[in-house]
């Protein structure tokens, strides 16, 4: 058994490529669990961060500082009455949230958390991701239609028209990033996600800084388009409460509605992962070239442990600041246990970082490398998640015709221009 | 990478494609037909994958299932729903349809029997990574020469542009 | 006109539909392009119980009809059965957001009818409280208007800062919202110890807050796209309809009753009247933000020079105005608030008519939304700054 695990850890390819079904399945299960946990955390962070932006506290009662609120919400939604409109098409009504959910989760098959930490490294990885995301639109269209009601239908058609429009700009921005992968000796680029990050590693620069400002503009276009893709503010007219058309998920209640929300958050994480992989260097630590010495490697490898140490410290601070009233006894104990868990995790990560500080192929070193890769990837995606929440708190929302105008008349010409200029510059340089 | 369980996947995908194709033409509800067509297209994409053409499979999903079928669904939903479901299916000319289908089947059998020699005895194992590159070479050319299909490709894209412009001009009330 | 398909029992909506000038459609939904939508009395964006019936052509608005009266409480009829002093608290409940202004208008109208004048100290106190209330009213407007357009956060900021004003009111007269702050002839309560200090602290506290609100919205591209050229009304149209207040001033007409017909010590202060140029939602937003700053100016000048003296004028115990009638209007935060009182010599008014600014401004909704999209209707209702309490009374 330990040999089995050792032999797996020693591989340099993803389980899909190595034909290792067992490990591929393990990865799928880990990703499924991880994404679900991430969506739950994201729910809590969104409510807390929005509240703090708006000078209020957010959930505080259900669990210490509202930490158990998402679980309470999930339980409530599961136990709610399942209402299906009488005239609705039963089969389609049932299948619509599943379409959205399946496509949102299938995308995670190709997301690279590290050079061999992905379920499968398809050589059309980015194409696969774009394709499956575009299938997600179908879920929304069908959901609006299945409700058999005028307003959800209009809302669904609008949402899907918006998503389809911004997919074009997204695709063109992606293409200009892919162009940059072909600037090597062979002259051929790659569509595989791991290949794209390795191209950035090889060329020594994150694509967001490549051919400055072309990479930056392409990144910004993708960043704007991905907000519109996921129907988030400021492009969330179809879901807003104060508008007349109530949105495609009006008639869905309880568990079905929570499936839509799960699909939305999972899609947010998925498109952020695309942005991180294509432009921000994927799993690479910051400053891979400027700060190349092994000492810097060691310092950056301490970051996972230090992050959790910081979180544990903040949580202990929260425990100390809780009122010393008997009402809060259980909350104090719960929060203290949580802080202790975080601290334990931090210590574990620090021990691994220190034990594996040499760059050889010992077990500790391999563990450390794997953890580092996953940590930096998740850290960058988490920054994007925070940006999503920040945008929602700050900006008003676009009217639908203005939204479409921005997608077709502003983003599309700019992305076409960036693509052409990137191609010309790439030909000149190579 | 060695292929895994090929007969199982082939028969599953092929069967799924045929079944959902039948569902497309037998469903009374237009949206059900469209969803069944999406399943057909996805199974065909799977079959492309089995033929070591991953790029074609990816593009099939993006363009066909993700773009064209969404357009189909839009049109189906914007047309008056009650009227379309009350329309009688015109199945009075089904003998003609049956005759045409039999003729097509005969043609397929003839081509298969005569052209059996064209099909290789065992499966080719092409390297996966070459599909994208080969398509690119055929379409865009390589090392200074024009590709085999560059001209046709550009003309086709021009045709599509003309079609889009025509549709927009014909339907807008004022430009 | 038979409206057999829709509410045939609801007379009001029949009249409303006939006002919209259309044949009753057979199937008013997906077949034809025109459809009638009801933004019902319960709607998160109508700022109260207002029913707006929209006639749409696809997405464009062809016409609107407002159905009001859901909050009608018969205030003017009640006035005929109450003495002048007893009626004072009722006045706050009309425009409940700017209750102090309502009280000011009423007390001044009765004082004018009785030919008494409030002493100077009372006038200064009245000005300070009224201008603070103007700021509070505009803050509530800003928060709800931004929320309708989609910016969730300014609501919480404005409400948090509004608390300081409400604390001052509570310390002064015991109530935060419906203050009943003034009496006929002056003020009842002397300013509490620390009143000037509180007001001055508020002035230093609040000036950077307006900058904070402006930083969030004024140069925001999305805000500008949602509000520029939306709901345009010309100055001539405003005057023709009788629209007053920031709506009128944003259309370019420089008319403010505090300068045109000064009342209650306003003539002693130095302030400007902000005006706009285009008469769109963005200009109304800028005008109200500038008005908040001007109110700060007025309060600063007032609180630095409150004269000593009595707070109540020479008013008899039983208020019996001579026979006659009077119309007196003030510049409330929403526009010209007028009181027309007919006295028959008794202790109760013969007729008391209130001219509420929101009621008259609401007429402009029809002109403003023609040709706009449905999503803009919500923005226009917000920019008119209506309070249903005074529309319906």
């Amino acid at each position: 058994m330990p040999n089995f695990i050792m032999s797996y850890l020693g591989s340099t390819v993803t389980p899909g490529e190595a034909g290792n079904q067992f490990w591929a399945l393990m990865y799928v299960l880990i990703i499924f669990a991880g994404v679900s946990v991430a969506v739950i955390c994201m729910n809590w962070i969104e409510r807390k961060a929005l509240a703090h932006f708006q000078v209020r506290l957010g959930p505080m009662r259900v669990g210490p500082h509202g930490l158990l609120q998402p679980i309470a919400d999930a339980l409530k939604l599961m136990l709610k009455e399942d209402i299906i409109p009488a005239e609705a098409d039963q089969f389609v009504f049932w299948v619509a949230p599943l379409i959205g959910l399946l496509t949102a989760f299938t995308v995670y098959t190709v997301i690279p958390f590290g050079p061999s930490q992905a379920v499968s490294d398809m050589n059309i990885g980015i194409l696969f991701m774009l394709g499956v995301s575009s299938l997600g639109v179908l879920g929304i269209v069908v959901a609006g239609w299945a409700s058999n009601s005028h307003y959800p239908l209009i809302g669904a058609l609008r949402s899907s028209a918006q998503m389809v429009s911004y997919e074009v700009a997204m695709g063109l921005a992606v293409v200009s990033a892919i162009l940059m992968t072909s600037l090597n000796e062979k002259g051929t680029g790659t569509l595989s996600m791991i290949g794209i990050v390795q191209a950035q590693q090889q060329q020594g620069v994150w694509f967001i800084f490549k051919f400055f400002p072309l990479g930056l503009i392409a990144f910004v276009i993708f960043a704007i388009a991905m907000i519109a893709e996921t129907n988030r503010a400021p492009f969330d007219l179809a879901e807003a409460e104060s508008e007349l058309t109530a949105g495609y998920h009006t008639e869905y209640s309880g568990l079905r509605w929570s499936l839509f929300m799960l699909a939305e958050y999972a899609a947010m994480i998925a498109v952020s992962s695309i942005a991180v992989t294509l432009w921000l260097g994927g799993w690479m630590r910051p400053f891979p070239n400027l700060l190349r010495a092994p000492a810097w490697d060691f310092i950056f490898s301490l970051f996972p442990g230090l992050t959790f140490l910081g979180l544990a410290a903040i949580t202990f601070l929260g425990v100390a600041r809780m009122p010393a009233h008997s009402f809060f006894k259980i909350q104090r104990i719960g929060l203290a246990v949580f802080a202790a868990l975080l601290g334990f995790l931090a210590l574990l990560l620090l021990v691994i970082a220190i034990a594996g500080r040499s760059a050889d192929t010992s077990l500790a070193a391999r563990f450390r490398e794997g953890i580092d890769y996953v940590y930096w990837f998740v850290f960058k995606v988490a920054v994007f998640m925070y940006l999503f929440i920040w945008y929602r708190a700050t900006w008003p929302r676009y009217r639908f015709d203005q939204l479409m105008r921005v997608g077709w008349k502003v983003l599309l010409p700019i992305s076409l221009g960036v693509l052409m200029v990137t191609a010309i510059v790439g030909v000149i340089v190579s | 990478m060695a292929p895994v369980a090929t007969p199982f996947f082939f028969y599953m995908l092929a069967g799924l494609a045929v079944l959902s194709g039948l569902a497309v033409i037998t469903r009374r509800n237009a949206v059900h037909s469209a969803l069944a067509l999406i399943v057909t297209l996805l199974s065909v994409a799977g079959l492309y994958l089995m033929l070591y053409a991953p790029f074609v499979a990816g593009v099939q999903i993006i363009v066909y299932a993700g773009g064209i079928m969404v357009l189909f669904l839009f049109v189906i939903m914007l047309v008056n729903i009650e009227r379309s479901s009350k329309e009688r299916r015109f199945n009075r000319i089904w003998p003609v349809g049956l005759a045409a289908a039999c003729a097509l089947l005969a043609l397929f059998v003839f081509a298969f029997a005569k052209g059996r020699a064209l099909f290789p005895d065992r499966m080719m194992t092409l390297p996966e990574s070459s599909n994208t590159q080969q398509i690119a070479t055929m379409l865009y050319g390589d090392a200074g020469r024009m590709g085999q299909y560059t001209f046709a490709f550009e003309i086709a894209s021009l045709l599509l542009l003309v079609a889009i412009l025509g549709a927009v001009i014909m339907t807008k009330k004022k430009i | 006109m038979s409206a057999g398909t829709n509410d045939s029992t609801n007379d009001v909506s029949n009249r409303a539909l006939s006002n919209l000038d259309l044949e009753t459609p057979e199937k008013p939904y997906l077949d034809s392009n025109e459809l009638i939508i009801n933004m019902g009395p319960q709607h998160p964006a109508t700022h109260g119980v207002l029913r707006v019936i929209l006639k749409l052509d696809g997405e464009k608005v062809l016409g609107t009809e407002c159905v009001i009266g859901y909050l009608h409480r018969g205030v003017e009829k009640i006035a005929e059965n109450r003495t002048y002093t007893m009626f004072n608290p009722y006045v706050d409940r009309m425009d409940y957001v700017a209750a102090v202004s309502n009280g000011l208008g009423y007390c001044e109208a009765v004082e004018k009818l009785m030919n008494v004048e409030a002493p100077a100290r009372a006038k200064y106190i009245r000005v300070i409280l009224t201008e603070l209330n103007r700021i509070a009213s505009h803050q509530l407007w800003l928060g709800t208007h931004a929320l309708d357009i989609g910016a969730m956060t300014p609501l919480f900021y404005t409400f948090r800062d509004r608390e300081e004003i409400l604390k001052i009111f509570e310390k002064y007269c015991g109530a935060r919202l419906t203050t009943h702050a003034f009496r006929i002839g002056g003020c009842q309560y002397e300013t509490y110890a620390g009143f000037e200090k509180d007001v001055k602290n508020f002035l230093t506290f609040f000036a950077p807050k307006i900058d904070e609100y402006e930083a969030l919205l004024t140069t925001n591209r999305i805000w500008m796209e949602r509000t520029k050229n939306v709901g345009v009304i010309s100055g001539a149209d405003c005057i023709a309809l009788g629209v007053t207040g920031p709506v009128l001033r944003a259309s370019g007409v420089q008319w403010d009753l505090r300068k045109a017909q000064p009342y209650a010590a306003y003539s002693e202060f130095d302030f400007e009247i902000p005006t706009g140029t285009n008469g769109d939602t963005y200009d109304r937003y800028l005008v109200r933000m500038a008005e908040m700053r001007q109110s700060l100016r007025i309060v600063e000048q007032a609180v630095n020079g409150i004269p000593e003296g009595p707070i109540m004028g020479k008013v008899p115990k039983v208020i019996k105005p001579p026979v006659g009638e009077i119309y007196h209007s003030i510049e409330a935060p929403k526009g010209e608030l007028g009181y027309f009182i007919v006295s028959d010599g008794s202790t109760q008014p013969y007729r008391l008519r209130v001219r509420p600014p929101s009621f008259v401004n609401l007429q402009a909704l029809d002109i403003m939304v023609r040709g706009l999209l449905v999503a803009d209707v919500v923005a226009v209702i917000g920019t008119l700054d209506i309070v249903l309490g005074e529309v319906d009374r």
Side-chain angles (χ1 to χ4, degrees):
Chain A
M1 184 61 162
N3 287 341
F4 185 58
I5 299 184
M6 285 292 293
S7 71
Y8 165 65
L9 282 178
S11 81
T12 50
V13 289
T14 61
E17 273 192 56
N20 196 336
Q21 283 105 338
F22 172 72
W23 277 110
L25 187 63
M26 293 308 310
Y27 263 25
V28 166
L29 289 175
I30 292 176
I31 287 182
F32 192 75
V35 171
S36 305
V37 166
V39 168
I40 286 185
C41 289
M42 178 70 186
N43 194 7
W44 179 81
I45 293 177
E46 170 151 39
R47 288 181 70 165
K48 277 302 224 185
L50 264 182
H52 284 239
F53 276 118
Q54 294 163 354
V55 201
R56 50 189 183 91
L57 283 175
M60 293 287 282
R61 287 181 166 270
V62 187
H65 285 269
L67 281 169
L68 297 178
Q69 180 76 45
I71 302 179
D73 280 344
L75 268 179
K76 174 204 80 165
L77 286 170
M78 275 194 259
L79 298 173
K80 261 192 161 174
E81 178 188 356
D82 188 18
I83 303 176
I84 303 184
E87 300 292 318
D89 192 331
Q90 304 278 329
F91 173 68
V92 178
F93 194 81
W94 170 79
V95 117
L98 290 183
I99 297 180
L101 198 61
L102 280 173
T103 56
F105 273 91
T106 308
V107 164
Y108 287 90
T109 324
V110 289
I111 290 184
F113 293 92
S116 62
Q117 279 88 346
V119 174
S120 157
D121 180 33
M122 298 188 200
N123 61 346
I124 48 153
I126 192 71
L127 210 61
F128 178 77
M129 287 194 87
L130 284 179
V132 174
S133 313
S134 66
L135 280 180
V137 178
L138 288 169
I140 293 183
V141 175
V142 156
W145 181 83
S147 306
N148 196 31
S149 166
H150 182 65
Y151 291 125
L153 182 61
I154 299 283
L157 290 177
R158 276 199 195 169
S159 282
S160 45
Q162 163 191 331
M163 286 167 85
V164 163
S165 317
Y166 281 86
E167 261 169 25
V168 184
M170 232 169 90
L172 285 172
V174 162
V175 170
S176 54
I178 306 280
L179 269 181
M180 297 181 192
T181 64
S182 65
L183 297 167
N184 50 16
E185 315 85 41
K186 270 197 305 173
T188 50
T190 170
L191 286 173
S192 97
M193 303 283 274
I194 294 186
I196 294 174
V197 179
Q198 282 172 338
Q200 292 181 62
Q201 204 165 17
Q202 201 186 42
Q203 296 177 26
V205 61
W206 288 1
F207 284 161
I208 188 177
F209 301 118
K210 184 113 184 150
F211 298 152
F212 198 82
L214 290 175
L216 186 64
I217 298 181
F219 171 70
V220 167
I221 291 175
F222 186 85
I224 298 177
M226 79 179 181
I227 306 177
E229 267 299 296
T230 47
N231 275 329
R232 290 282 294 189
F235 301 108
D236 62 347
L237 191 83
E239 314 183 323
E241 296 105 16
S242 66
E243 311 295 335
L244 281 181
T245 55
Y248 58 90
H249 49 66
T250 317
E251 301 286 343
Y252 285 85
S253 61
L255 191 60
R256 296 181 208 276
W257 183 83
S258 68
L259 289 180
F260 272 120
M261 287 299 114
L262 186 60
E264 176 174 322
Y265 281 123
M268 276 163 64
I269 301 180
V271 290
S272 307
S273 313
I274 302 183
V276 165
T277 309
L278 256 65
W279 281 280
L280 289 179
W283 62 76
M284 295 198 283
R285 66 168 175 82
F287 303 113
N289 285 316
L290 276 177
L291 307 168
R292 215 190 278 256
W296 281 109
D297 275 341
F298 177 61
I299 291 179
F300 277 112
S301 72
L302 289 176
F303 267 65
L306 289 177
T307 311
F308 276 94
L309 203 60
L311 286 176
I314 296 177
T315 317
F316 271 121
L317 193 65
V319 174
R321 288 179 58 184
M322 250 189 208
H325 196 269
S326 63
F327 282 167
F328 289 94
K329 190 158 133 208
I330 297 186
Q331 284 201 0
R332 285 191 94 159
I333 296 177
L335 199 59
V337 165
F338 187 62
L341 277 174
L342 285 175
F344 179 67
L345 197 55
L347 277 173
L348 191 63
L349 289 171
L350 282 173
V351 160
I352 293 180
I354 294 178
R357 68 181 171 278
S358 54
D360 57 15
T361 56
S362 65
L363 184 65
R366 275 195 241 134
F367 259 119
R368 174 191 62 86
E369 272 181 1
I371 289 176
D372 276 354
Y373 294 143
V374 175
Y375 171 77
W376 284 114
F377 186 83
V378 171
F379 175 77
K380 294 173 196 172
V381 173
V383 168
F384 272 93
M385 291 293 108
Y386 184 72
L387 285 177
F388 269 112
I389 302 176
W390 196 355
Y391 300 155
R392 184 171 178 207
T394 319
W395 289 331
R397 63 178 68 96
Y398 267 112
R399 212 172 55 208
F400 189 68
D401 60 322
Q402 293 167 342
L403 200 157
M404 297 299 266
R405 182 185 58 86
V406 165
W408 288 107
K409 289 197 195 170
V410 174
L411 285 188
L412 183 58
I414 296 180
S415 55
L416 271 176
V418 163
L419 180 60
M420 286 197 279
V421 176
T422 309
I424 294 175
V425 172
V427 165
I428 293 178
V429 159
S430 68
Chain B
M1 141 175 181
V4 171
T6 308
F8 167 70
F9 280 115
F10 172 73
Y11 283 116
M12 183 189 84
L13 287 171
L16 196 59
V18 168
L19 279 176
S20 41
L22 281 174
V24 171
I25 51 177
T26 52
R27 292 294 108 203
R28 207 165 286 163
N29 193 332
V31 172
H32 289 184
S33 300
L35 287 177
L37 187 56
I38 292 173
V39 175
T40 314
L41 294 170
L42 289 177
S43 342
V44 170
L47 287 171
Y48 285 147
L49 268 179
M50 295 191 68
L51 290 173
Y52 293 92
F55 185 77
V56 183
V59 171
Q60 161 100 344
I61 296 182
I62 294 181
V63 170
Y64 228 137
I68 296 183
M69 288 316 297
V70 171
L71 191 61
F72 270 41
L73 279 170
F74 268 39
V75 171
I76 292 176
M77 288 172 191
L78 286 174
V79 159
N80 200 336
I81 305 169
E82 302 104 40
R83 209 193 302 146
S84 67
S85 66
K86 276 193 243 155
E87 267 181 13
R88 220 161 43 93
R89 290 170 292 162
F90 52 98
N91 46 8
R92 280 178 295 174
I93 54 169
W94 64 269
V96 180
L98 190 58
C102 288
L104 197 57
L105 181 62
L107 187 62
F108 282 156
V109 168
F110 178 72
F112 183 71
K114 282 287 179 183
R116 182 101 208 211
L118 287 175
F119 296 108
D121 284 330
R122 52 176 179 75
M123 200 170 37
M124 290 193 291
T125 50
L126 300 166
E128 267 176 68
S129 54
S130 71
N131 181 242
T132 314
Q133 204 170 338
Q134 277 183 342
I135 293 182
T137 314
M138 277 198 284
L139 285 180
Y140 297 116
D142 185 19
R145 294 180 295 116
M146 221 167 66
Q148 227 176 331
Y149 299 107
T150 308
F151 188 61
F153 183 64
E154 299 298 333
I155 294 288
S157 63
L158 204 57
L159 264 179
L160 281 173
L161 181 63
V162 168
I164 295 174
L165 282 176
V168 168
I169 291 176
M170 281 198 290
T171 54
K172 266 192 92 65
K173 293 183 195 131
K174 56 183 188 330
I175 307 287
Chain C
M1 181 145 324
S2 72
T5 48
N6 296 332
D7 301 340
S8 52
T9 53
N10 190 341
D11 228 23
V12 177
S13 70
N14 277 358
R15 246 182 289 129
L17 288 176
S18 65
N19 261 345
L20 282 177
D21 190 33
L22 44 86
E23 321 287 350
T24 314
E26 294 290 313
K27 278 195 288 179
Y29 285 101
L30 288 171
D31 268 9
S32 60
N33 265 333
E34 293 186 350
L35 86 117
I36 300 176
I37 291 191
N38 179 44
M39 270 175 82
Q42 291 151 325
H43 192 274
T46 51
H47 297 272
V49 276
L50 171 68
R51 182 178 173 205
V52 181
I53 304 179
L54 298 166
K55 180 181 165 208
L56 304 179
D57 168 21
E59 183 92 4
K60 274 197 182 344
V61 177
L62 295 177
T64 64
E65 181 75 21
C66 295
V67 179
I68 57 176
Y70 290 93
L71 201 48
H72 179 69
R73 296 153 287 176
V75 166
E76 294 176 0
K77 179 66 186 173
I78 290 177
E80 297 171 11
N81 296 313
R82 303 282 180 279
T83 63
Y84 289 89
T85 323
M86 277 167 70
F87 185 65
N88 211 341
Y90 283 88
V91 162
D92 298 333
R93 270 82 177 158
M94 289 193 305
D95 178 4
Y96 34 80
V97 175
V100 178
S101 308
N102 293 23
L104 177 66
Y106 175 70
C107 292
E108 287 204 342
V110 179
E111 285 163 14
K112 227 169 165 182
L113 193 58
M114 292 191 33
N115 225 351
V116 302
E117 206 178 310
R121 185 175 170 83
K123 282 191 188 170
Y124 267 69
I125 297 176
R126 282 177 171 183
V127 164
I128 294 174
L129 290 176
T130 309
E131 288 306 312
L132 284 178
N133 205 337
R134 189 180 308 269
I135 298 176
S137 168
H138 282 337
Q139 277 182 309
L140 189 134
W141 161 83
L142 180 62
T144 51
H145 187 219
L147 183 66
D148 288 338
I149 296 193
M152 304 189 237
T153 322
L155 175 74
F156 295 93
Y157 294 170
T158 56
F159 269 65
R160 172 198 59 186
D161 303 328
R162 202 166 156 259
E163 280 299 305
E164 304 301 319
I165 302 180
L166 298 182
K167 279 183 199 162
I168 296 179
F169 286 167
E170 189 180 12
K171 283 194 207 172
Y172 175 74
C173 59
R176 286 154 53 102
L177 196 65
T178 50
T179 42
H180 191 204
F182 309 137
R183 303 288 180 273
I184 299 172
C187 305
Q188 164 139 11
Y189 301 114
E190 186 56 75
T191 57
Y192 60 93
F195 178 74
E196 281 99 352
K197 189 161 83 70
D198 273 348
V199 174
K200 285 185 188 158
N201 281 346
F202 174 75
L203 292 174
T204 45
F205 161 81
F206 188 64
K209 299 292 182 190
I210 307 186
D211 297 329
E212 196 179 312
Y213 309 149
E214 295 230 20
L216 263 181
L217 294 172
T218 306
T219 47
N220 186 329
R221 169 179 298 275
I222 305 178
W223 180 260
M224 291 201 287
E225 286 206 21
R226 282 301 294 269
T227 55
K228 279 204 171 169
N229 294 322
V230 168
V232 179
I233 186 166
S234 67
D237 275 340
C238 282
I239 298 179
L241 285 173
V243 170
T244 52
V247 184
L248 176 67
R249 290 195 276 281
S251 299
V253 180
Q254 197 152 19
W255 174 256
D256 189 326
L257 287 174
R258 293 175 288 175
K259 288 265 197 212
Q261 303 165 2
Y263 53 94
Y266 276 106
S267 47
E268 303 179 29
F269 303 124
D270 177 36
F271 60 99
E272 285 164 14
I273 310 293
T275 48
T277 42
N278 290 335
D280 58 11
T281 305
Y282 189 65
D283 276 353
R284 286 188 280 273
Y285 159 77
L286 288 177
V287 161
R288 288 192 178 103
M289 301 302 277
E291 275 188 11
M292 280 202 266
R293 291 189 207 269
Q294 295 302 317
S295 292
L296 279 182
R297 236 172 112 179
I298 299 176
V299 173
E300 191 175 350
Q301 295 170 50
V303 83
N304 279 331
I306 306 184
E308 298 296 327
I311 50 167
M312 197 67 173
K314 291 257 183 303
V315 174
K317 248 205 182 49
V318 174
I319 298 193
K320 243 190 193 183
V323 175
E325 60 186 40
I326 184 145
Y327 175 76
H328 176 69
S329 57
I330 63 163
E331 185 76 24
K334 299 176 168 55
E336 173 180 337
L337 171 66
Y339 289 86
F340 175 69
I341 308 181
V342 176
S343 161
D344 57 356
S346 68
T347 52
Q348 297 176 347
Y350 178 73
R351 169 81 171 109
L352 188 143
R353 155 94 172 115
V354 180
R355 183 234 186 256
S358 305
F359 180 73
V360 184
N361 289 1
L362 198 51
Q363 300 173 91
L365 182 67
D366 195 35
I367 297 189
M368 282 182 183
V369 300
R370 281 182 196 253
L372 294 183
L373 303 182
V374 172
D376 292 323
V377 173
V378 163
V380 172
I381 294 180
T383 185
L384 279 176
D385 195 10
I386 52 174
V387 170
L388 265 298
E390 72 176 358
V391 171
D392 291 338
R393 279 157 283 141

